[in-house]
Amino acid sequence: MAEKITMGAGGALRVPDEPIVPFIQGDGTGIDIWPAAQLVMDAAAAKHGKRISWKEVLAGEKAYKETGDWLPEETVETFREYLIGIKGPLTTPVGGGIRSLNVALRQLLDLYVCLRPVRWFSGVPSPVKHPEKVDMVIFRENTEDIYAGLEVEEGTPEAARLIDLLHDAFGWEIRKDSGIGIKPVSETGSKRLVRAALNYAVRHGRKSVTLVHKGNIQKFTEGAFRNWGYELVREEFADVAVGWDDCGGDPGGKILVKDAIADITLQQVLTRPDEFDVIATTNLNGDYLSDALAAQVGGIGIAPGGNINYVSGHGIFEATHGTAPKYAGQDKVNPGSLLLSGVMMFEHLEWLDAARDIVSALERTIAEKIVTYDFARLMEGATEVKCSEFAQAIVERL
Ligand code: NAP
């Protein structure tokens, strides 16, 4: 019988064998990748005696056409009620109009962690020599920083007022023709993000957590993030983790918590990827870092993500690429990002066998060079298949 996922005692999810899981198909290529990913998820779950009762909810263009609303209240409420969901990509109009639907969903449900595991699957074409050395998990803060949406546009009365206020109150000289964005970074937001990263590192036997920040310039936001991270280690994780400054770089069997400036990190993840393990970072850094890293292991066609609140139990897993509108409806693009988001969701639900099966079937399919166009153009002797055929090939290898 189909049932809701609920939050059990002790903050762990209680997952029935037939959970009801809301999903957003997504705009553009969502129409192609959703059925492909669903086919594989259903087959893998069935192999282990499970079944997902999918519940479609609307957002984006499809929602707007059917309800006149880009993000209907009912969709948010359904995710709130059923805790765990998954989504395809959504269109974000540029410059004004509706705010990003993805950002809105994250903020409305307070999904404070954007989780992006970045690892290489054997056979996937990569621009670097040793993609097998890339195995990082990024914890990106998801609710603060310049993504908080606190911006005023150049030339508006609001901008003029803010510029005057900042001049009067702080003596700050800001050009009159400026737009202004506010970057809040709080102790609460920073510590709960770093706490989630440390808990993950403990649970998965990871060796280090790197706090990535731009604190040399932005001292009271990015620098504070770093300081609060180290403070949290001392306050709550002293038995299992230790900060670099407190151990001189020798953690003695504990998890080593270190920090790195964002710009040098973008170099070092390329040149010394094996020195990075779990990464905890602020919102904008995390955005850049996760896409840059995804490029090393096969690009955004295969990079998954999850947005999670570990306290309330809410989580929405999502393809990290956009709607790729030029390919919409062509049954062409790679469903890997959405499918691997499904794998992350299965892992989050502790359906570990089904998750592992999908990954190994995906690896076998790619090893046999059966791939979609994005990989085919980078591989010698590949058999290019459609999105749906790729999913079918994975199911055959489950
Ligand atoms: P995009 O949709 O991610 O597409 C950029 C390029 O990435 C595509 O042209 C394609 O490259 C490649 N790509 C995307 N999806 C792929 C897939 N499944 N398989 C293989 N390759 C894939 O980015 P965009 O064109 O900048 O954005 C389009 C719309 O999506 C915008 O409205 C944007 O706001 C929105 N968006 C949504 C999300 C989200 O919902 N999470 C994220 C980002 C953007 P090639 O052309 O080289 O083949």
Side-chain angles (χ1 to χ4, degrees):
M1 192 187 67
E3 289 174 83
K4 277 184 206 171
I5 295 171
T6 52
M7 202 57 174
L13 291 175
R14 206 192 60 78
V15 184
D17 281 343
E18 190 181 339
I20 301 167
V21 175
F23 74 96
I24 296 169
Q25 174 189 275
D27 296 326
T29 48
I31 197 171
D32 305 298
I33 59 176
W34 175 259
Q38 190 193 330
L39 183 83
V40 181
M41 286 188 275
D42 285 345
K47 195 179 155 195
H48 295 281
K50 317 271 192 198
R51 188 173 177 275
I52 295 176
S53 180
W54 297 108
K55 182 178 178 65
E56 180 164 14
V57 289
L58 299 180
E61 285 164 2
K62 194 168 174 183
Y64 189 70
K65 270 187 208 130
E66 290 185 26
T67 68
D69 200 345
W70 288 90
L71 183 59
E73 186 55 30
E74 196 188 333
T75 296
V76 180
E77 282 316 308
T78 305
F79 280 126
R80 217 188 282 285
E81 184 178 349
Y82 292 91
L83 295 184
I84 299 294
I86 185 165
K87 63 174 277 293
L90 295 172
T91 305
T92 306
V94 179
I98 54 161
R99 192 163 61 140
S100 160
L101 296 173
N102 300 303
V103 175
L105 262 177
R106 289 169 196 168
Q107 287 180 348
L108 286 167
L109 294 172
D110 195 23
L111 305 173
Y112 62 88
V113 170
C114 177
L115 179 62
R116 297 260 187 108
V118 188
R119 54 159 290 208
W120 182 68
F121 296 99
S122 62
V124 172
S126 161
V128 297
K129 280 192 194 140
H130 290 290
E132 74 284 355
K133 289 187 178 169
V134 180
D135 183 8
M136 306 177 205
V137 183
I138 301 174
F139 279 74
R140 163 186 168 197
E141 205 291 325
N142 225 358
T143 61
E144 302 193 327
D145 202 343
I146 55 164
Y147 285 71
L150 308 175
E151 288 194 310
V152 287
E153 190 178 356
E154 180 272 323
T156 60
E158 291 79 9
R161 218 170 125 202
L162 189 56
I163 289 167
D164 287 345
L165 180 95
L166 293 172
H167 180 267
D168 296 346
F170 301 108
W172 295 353
E173 294 292 346
I174 297 174
R175 285 193 192 101
K176 297 282 184 207
D177 59 348
S178 299
I180 301 183
I182 307 256
K183 175 185 173 102
V185 173
S186 69
E187 179 175 355
T188 309
S190 301
K191 282 191 171 171
R192 68 178 179 173
L193 185 272
V194 178
R195 185 179 295 117
L198 277 157
N199 280 330
Y200 180 97
V202 170
R203 222 175 31 254
H204 292 85
R206 294 283 186 156
K207 291 197 169 47
S208 73
V209 175
T210 307
L211 308 170
V212 175
H213 61 90
K214 189 69 189 159
N216 53 335
I217 304 296
Q218 302 168 47
K219 297 187 193 310
F220 305 132
T221 49
E222 298 274 330
F225 172 85
R226 167 196 179 275
N227 296 343
W228 287 321
Y230 281 130
E231 200 173 282
L232 183 87
V233 176
R234 287 190 286 269
E235 286 167 354
E236 296 180 19
F237 291 89
D239 51 334
V240 288
V242 61
W244 182 283
D245 288 347
D246 295 332
C247 70
D250 176 10
K254 292 183 179 178
I255 294 165
L256 177 64
V257 181
K258 48 189 178 163
D259 73 281
I261 305 283
D263 40 46
I264 191 68
T265 303
L266 280 160
Q267 279 196 26
Q268 289 181 344
V269 290
L270 272 170
T271 53
R272 314 210 293 257
D274 41 1
E275 289 179 17
F276 293 89
D277 195 345
V278 174
I279 290 176
T281 189
T282 48
N283 207 335
L284 181 63
N285 293 333
D287 199 0
Y288 294 154
L289 202 55
S290 33
D291 274 17
L293 273 168
Q296 289 196 52
V297 293
I300 52 176
I302 198 169
N307 300 290
I308 303 170
N309 181 322
Y310 288 93
V311 179
S312 69
H314 290 105
I316 300 182
F317 296 82
E318 65 174 351
T320 58
H321 55 69
T323 58
K326 66 182 175 186
Y327 297 126
Q330 293 180 25
D331 194 13
K332 182 179 173 81
V333 295
N334 193 339
S337 173
L338 188 56
L339 177 58
L340 288 170
S341 305
V343 168
M344 284 178 71
M345 181 175 80
F346 279 14
E347 286 168 348
H348 193 72
L349 301 179
E350 298 282 336
W351 289 9
L352 302 180
D353 293 337
R356 258 191 302 267
D357 281 355
I358 296 177
V359 170
S360 61
L362 174 76
E363 283 186 317
R364 238 171 300 152
T365 310
I366 295 169
E368 289 176 41
K369 298 194 173 185
I370 301 168
V371 290
T372 45
Y373 83 100
D374 51 326
F375 287 1
R377 66 189 172 188
L378 300 171
M379 291 164 91
E380 295 248 327
T383 306
E384 183 180 326
V385 293
K386 291 175 192 274
C387 175
S388 58
E389 292 168 342
F390 184 59
Q392 194 55 51
I394 298 170
V395 169
E396 283 160 15
R397 285 159 186 76
L398 270 174

